[in-house]
Amino acid sequence: MISPSIRKPIEELGLHGVLRALETQYGSNEFDDLTYEERLEHLFITQVEEDRNRAMTRRVKQARLRFPNACTENIEFGGERSGHKKLLLSLLTGNWVMKHLNAIITGASGTGKTYLANAIANALLLAGYKVLYYRLDDFFKEAYKKQTLDQYANFRRALLKTDLLILDDLGACELSAEQVEILYCVLEDRYTECSTLITSQIPVQDWHAFIGSDNVADAILDRIIHNAHKLPLHSKKSMREKFGKLALEQDLKESGNEK
């Protein structure tokens, strides 16, 4: 049993991992043959692992992903995506984020753009990067809210502390002049400083016409396209249809097992 004189300073230092590891050592004879340094190593490795797991949990919560369980194991590299495998694997490493490059994922509704973006995000979160996900319409709502509260400057500064900003579904709704201005300012802030990933149903070559205002459109595209990895997704079958069928089949299977 750990004495109060030892427990108290450990708790005051916030070394809860060390405390739990010490309790494990006190309660198990498997540590009896270890040297003092080996016991000490166990204490601090436990603390480091707990700190890392706690930081990961915090990053995942702050990322606010649409699909928090999206994972690389569910990404199909075969068929129509076989030619993109090298780029997909590269995006999962996070080296492009370290170099402050961007990424663009395009494709029709149901091709898996959002899921893929979230799977990439989870891989980067695991690697220690800070990620923030927004559907583009929610992003503008957040920006408007911060403007109303006179916190817009702080909002933009906070975004710069995010290694990867994901803006999902460009083109789902028409952009107002104010929204185009907000998008330009955010991309200008992040250009060469941190990375942005944009998904869109609209092919990149049609973005200029969609954004509209020529000068601002030129400025936006200049800051996102030229240093972006481009991943166009093509699929004859909707990923929503595929996963929907799998969910229904699993439900029927589980329902049958309950009888």
Side-chain angles (χ1 to χ4, degrees):
M1 182 177 178
I2 304 174
S3 67
S5 61
I6 295 177
R7 178 183 292 275
K8 184 177 180 180
I10 293 177
E11 289 179 338
E12 288 179 350
L13 289 170
L15 300 176
H16 302 292
V18 167
L19 188 60
R20 275 186 279 275
L22 193 57
E23 289 173 341
T24 300
Q25 289 188 13
Y26 271 86
S28 175
N29 57 15
E30 66 180 80
F31 296 91
D32 292 347
D33 295 332
L34 297 184
T35 65
Y36 173 78
E37 287 187 354
E38 288 172 334
R39 283 174 173 261
L40 198 60
E41 181 183 19
H42 171 252
L43 297 181
F44 287 111
I45 285 178
T46 302
Q47 181 65 49
V48 168
E49 289 177 347
E50 289 206 5
D51 287 347
R52 186 181 294 119
N53 291 337
R54 189 161 49 248
M56 175 64 178
T57 300
R58 184 171 59 252
R59 289 196 302 272
V60 169
K61 183 178 180 180
Q62 292 172 342
R64 300 188 292 187
L65 299 182
R66 172 86 176 274
F67 300 113
N69 295 320
C71 58
T72 57
E73 288 78 6
N74 291 332
I75 299 175
E76 295 183 353
F77 292 113
E80 294 156 322
R81 295 188 182 181
S82 59
H84 299 313
K85 182 175 181 179
K86 184 176 180 181
L87 176 55
L88 282 169
L89 293 175
S90 176
L91 292 175
L92 293 170
T93 67
N95 289 335
W96 60 287
V97 175
M98 190 181 303
K99 297 174 183 176
H100 305 150
L101 300 176
N102 300 316
I104 297 171
I105 303 175
T106 56
S109 177
T111 51
K113 301 182 298 298
T114 299
Y115 188 92
L116 179 56
N118 280 237
I120 293 171
N122 273 322
L124 298 184
L125 287 167
L126 192 60
Y129 292 99
K130 293 181 180 179
V131 179
L132 184 57
Y133 167 89
Y134 280 104
R135 276 187 56 85
L136 194 58
D137 54 347
D138 291 330
F139 177 77
F140 290 130
K141 289 176 184 176
E142 184 76 6
Y144 292 149
K145 178 181 177 182
K146 298 300 182 182
Q147 288 175 340
T148 302
L149 298 174
D150 198 25
Q151 297 174 354
Y152 184 57
N154 291 335
F155 174 64
R156 284 172 57 178
R157 281 194 290 269
L159 290 177
L160 284 174
K161 297 179 181 179
T162 302
D163 299 308
L164 176 63
L165 173 65
I166 300 175
L167 299 177
D168 188 23
D169 217 1
L170 173 70
C173 299
E174 294 293 329
L175 300 180
S176 68
E178 185 177 10
Q179 289 172 334
V180 169
E181 180 66 22
I182 289 173
L183 185 59
Y184 164 73
C185 289
V186 170
L187 294 178
E188 166 66 14
D189 290 343
R190 300 182 65 78
Y191 184 61
T192 73
E193 297 294 327
C194 31
S195 298
T196 305
L197 188 159
I198 295 180
T199 77
S200 178
Q201 295 183 38
I202 303 173
V204 172
Q205 62 267 25
D206 296 332
W207 282 15
H208 192 285
F210 169 75
I211 294 171
S213 177
D214 286 345
N215 291 338
V216 182
D218 287 340
I220 288 175
L221 299 185
D222 194 49
R223 285 157 178 76
I224 190 67
I225 289 180
H226 302 307
N227 65 342
H229 291 295
K230 300 173 186 66
L231 182 58
L233 300 182
H234 306 283
S235 179
K236 296 178 181 178
K237 180 178 288 188
S238 168
M239 292 296 103
R240 292 192 185 94
E241 178 183 350
K242 174 187 174 183
F243 286 119
K245 287 183 178 179
L246 290 174
L248 290 172
E249 290 172 0
Q250 183 64 26
D251 180 59
L252 290 172
K253 182 179 179 180
E254 292 175 354
S255 298
N257 290 335
E258 290 174 0
K259 296 179 180 180

